[in-house]
């Protein structure tokens, strides 16, 4: 690792914050009982689990009995979509999603298509936004589920979730949202936005990796994910990963308490950096929505450059960025999100995602802006 490592990849994952680490360590070392055991140590563990569920539920504005802990965002997305599809197939086999979802949703839908489900992939506009009118027009008598993410992981665009929720409710269609990237900076309110299922992940919000949750509204028919013991009200059996669950709940609770102040700081850093780069780097175009976007996401394309080369040169200077989502980084394919936004392939390959967070400073961003100016110029001259 470079002796100067500067992290700009908070959308891929975040470091655990000290308060969370403390909680994880406390539970790991002291609360080692199995929450299903009836003795005192088991009861102590059960109390921790119940409290974590109450904390997460408070952040989503739902009863705690509607929160199910999972191993992360991917599992929550898979379970929500496959679980609802299979439990409701008797009503119809049509699912609507968007072309810019995370692969945890897209590949899940692809797997269901192989089993006879019909999937509609809604197009997006040049900013990566779904049109609620088009969504409503796509609903038919066979539609059982709509899955549209709250915020995009590559370009940060926020979807009109409240409108989508209202449309789904009106037509009696189940609504799932992947809020993995939105959690921590956005208010997620399943009542306000008529959300029936919602996926969250611990490691995007300064919590532990390998833990997440799925909100499932009472009365929604969903297949069990894992059969076994009675954990998670028999729907997702297996001894609970208590240290991680407690850590995630603490991370979410802290994020919610600090959200306004943290967002104001991030937005100011984001705006300044976007202005700096747009003015100083020839060929730089901001991607994603100009205003309806996460405060921690910056995505530029740099005409006449290659994103992989940019990434490697920045890495050589100690800057950790991303050429798209972590899952597609390393593969040479252009981002499906940028392509869906109508960006031509060559330009899509010149994208760089800079995601900022709690520990990002103005000085670090100034340094990155300067480095970018020099690197982009060099790459453009090499063309
Ligand atoms: N959904 C979105 C929007 C994401 O950004 C990610 C992670 O990159 C996931 C799902 C997957 O979450 P996890 O890494 O917890 O499986």
């Amino acid at each position: 690792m470079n002796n100067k490592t500067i992290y700009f990849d908070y959308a891929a994952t975040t470091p655990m914050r000290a308060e969370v680490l403390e909680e994880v360590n406390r539970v790991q070392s002291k609360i080692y009982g199995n929450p299903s055991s009836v003795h005192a140590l088991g009861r102590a563990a059960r109390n921790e689990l119940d409290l974590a569920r109450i904390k997460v539920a408070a952040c989503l504005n739902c009863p705690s009995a509607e929160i199910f802990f999972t191993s992360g965002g991917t599992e929550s997305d898979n379970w929500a979509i496959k679980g609802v599809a299979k439990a409701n197939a008797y009503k119809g086999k049509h699912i609507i999603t968007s072309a810019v979802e995370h692969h945890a949703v897209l590949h899940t839908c692809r797997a269901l298509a192989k089993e006879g489900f019909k999937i509609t992939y809604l197009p997006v506009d040049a900013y990566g936004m779904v049109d609620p009118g088009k969504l409503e027009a796509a609903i038919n008598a066979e539609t059982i589920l709509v899955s549209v993410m709250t915020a995009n992981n590559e370009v940060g665009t926020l979807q009109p979730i409240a409108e989508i929720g209202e449309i789904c409710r009106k037509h009696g269609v189940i609504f799932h949202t992947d809020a993995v990237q939105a959690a921590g900076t956005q208010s997620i309110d399943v009542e306000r936005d008529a959300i029936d299922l919602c996926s969250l992940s611990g490691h995007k919000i300064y919590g532990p990796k390998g833990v997440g949750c799925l909100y499932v509204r009472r009365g929604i028919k969903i297949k069990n994910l894992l059969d076994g013991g009675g954990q998670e009200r028999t729907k997702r059996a297996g001894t609970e990963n208590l240290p991680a669950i407690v850590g995630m709940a603490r991370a979410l609770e802290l994020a919610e308490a600090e959200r306004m102040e943290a967002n104001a700081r991030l937005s100011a850093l984001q705006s300044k950096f976007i202005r700096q780069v747009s003015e100083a780097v020839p060929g730089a175009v901001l991607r994603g929505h100009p205003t309806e976007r996460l405060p921690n996401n910056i995505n530029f394309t740099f005409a006449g450059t290659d994103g992989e080369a940019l990434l490697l040169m920045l890495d050589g200077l100690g800057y950790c960025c991303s050429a798209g989502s972590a899952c597609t980084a390393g593969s040479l394919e252009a981002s499906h999100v940028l392509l869906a936004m109508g960006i031509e392939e060559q330009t899509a390959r010149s994208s760089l995602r800079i995601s900022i967070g709690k520990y990002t400073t103005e000085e670090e961003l100034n340094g990155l802006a300067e480095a970018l100016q020099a690197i982009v110029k060099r790459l453009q001259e090499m063309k």
Side-chain angles (χ1 to χ4, degrees):
M1 207 157 45
N2 196 298
N3 52 10
K4 184 193 80 169
T5 301
I6 303 174
Y7 195 64
F8 288 116
D9 205 10
Y10 285 83
T13 196
T14 54
M16 242 197 278
R17 55 188 292 180
E19 303 94 319
V20 171
L21 193 55
E22 210 175 284
E23 278 289 84
V24 172
N25 287 339
R26 178 183 64 80
V27 176
Q28 188 80 58
S29 57
K30 300 205 174 82
I31 319 286
Y32 55 84
N34 187 322
S36 299
S37 298
V38 292
H39 51 64
L41 276 173
R43 289 199 305 278
R46 168 67 52 189
N47 284 344
E48 293 284 349
L49 183 63
D50 290 347
L51 188 59
R53 209 183 298 281
I54 289 167
K55 284 182 182 176
V56 172
C59 292
L60 300 190
N61 189 24
C62 67
S64 63
E66 296 172 12
I67 296 294
F68 296 84
F69 290 111
T70 66
S71 72
T74 301
E75 182 181 315
S76 296
D77 286 344
N78 269 263
W79 184 18
I81 297 168
K82 289 177 184 158
V84 164
K86 290 180 181 171
N88 294 274
Y90 69 95
K91 289 192 213 155
K93 292 187 118 185
H94 180 226
I95 295 169
I96 300 173
T97 188
S98 86
V100 296
E101 299 297 310
H102 190 273
H103 284 148
V105 167
L106 289 179
H107 291 175
T108 298
C109 288
R110 191 166 74 185
L112 284 173
K114 287 192 186 134
E115 294 181 31
F117 285 85
K118 192 168 174 335
I119 318 291
T120 298
Y121 297 94
L122 292 171
V124 292
D125 66 14
Y127 298 131
M129 204 178 264
V130 164
D131 175 350
K134 285 190 180 145
L135 186 146
E136 186 160 22
I139 294 176
N140 62 42
E142 292 277 302
T143 312
I144 49 169
L145 174 69
V146 165
S147 179
V148 175
M149 68 204 320
T150 304
N152 185 267
N153 48 302
E154 293 191 38
V155 296
T157 299
L158 296 167
Q159 299 296 348
I161 288 306
E163 266 180 87
I164 294 173
E166 202 178 309
I167 291 167
C168 291
R169 184 65 55 85
K170 187 171 104 187
H171 292 273
V173 174
I174 298 169
F175 176 38
H176 165 249
T177 189
D178 171 341
V180 167
Q181 287 289 334
T185 63
Q186 307 303 302
S187 138
I188 300 165
D189 186 327
V190 297
E191 279 312 311
R192 180 195 63 202
D193 296 343
I195 296 165
D196 296 314
L197 300 109
C198 179
S199 306
L200 296 188
S201 174
H203 73 101
K204 310 283 186 182
I205 54 169
Y206 308 93
K209 293 170 179 57
V211 64
C213 74
L214 181 66
Y215 158 74
V216 184
R217 182 179 291 280
R218 189 160 177 241
I220 294 292
K221 286 197 178 71
I222 184 165
K223 280 251 184 202
N224 288 0
L225 180 69
L226 296 173
D227 296 311
Q231 295 92 347
E232 300 303 293
R233 286 179 300 292
T234 73
K235 291 194 181 305
R236 200 268 186 193
T239 301
E240 303 86 349
N241 182 359
L242 192 62
I245 289 171
V246 169
M248 175 182 163
R250 181 75 179 125
L252 194 61
E253 181 185 43
L254 286 165
E256 190 54 35
E258 298 167 1
R259 194 158 54 80
M260 294 305 196
E261 213 176 305
N263 283 1
R265 193 187 83 87
L266 289 171
S267 290
L269 289 175
Q270 180 193 46
S271 307
K272 180 169 177 235
F273 184 79
I274 289 173
R275 207 171 45 244
Q276 261 173 326
V277 171
S278 305
E279 282 167 11
V281 184
V285 179
L286 178 73
R287 300 300 177 176
H289 201 282
T291 54
E292 294 300 304
R293 75 184 297 140
L294 292 172
N296 54 350
N297 171 289
I298 299 154
N299 188 313
F300 273 108
T301 54
F302 296 100
T305 71
D306 173 69
E308 295 281 327
L310 257 175
L311 202 62
L312 290 175
M313 287 169 86
L314 286 169
D315 189 34
L317 296 174
Y319 292 110
C320 306
C321 302
S322 164
S325 70
C327 312
T328 48
S331 80
L332 291 170
E333 279 171 37
S335 142
H336 69 280
V337 174
L338 297 178
L339 294 178
M341 287 160 62
I343 297 166
E344 61 103 15
E345 196 161 335
Q346 185 83 10
T347 309
R349 282 180 201 279
S350 73
S351 96
L352 185 74
R353 180 185 72 181
I354 297 143
S355 46
I356 59 176
K358 197 170 169 47
Y359 307 109
T360 306
T361 66
E362 195 169 346
E363 293 69 43
E364 288 175 344
L365 280 166
N366 287 341
L368 178 64
E370 256 179 55
L372 268 175
Q373 216 177 327
I375 291 173
V376 169
K377 186 158 177 274
R378 248 170 63 209
L379 288 173
Q380 285 169 339
E381 282 168 0
M382 276 159 62
K383 277 265 157 182

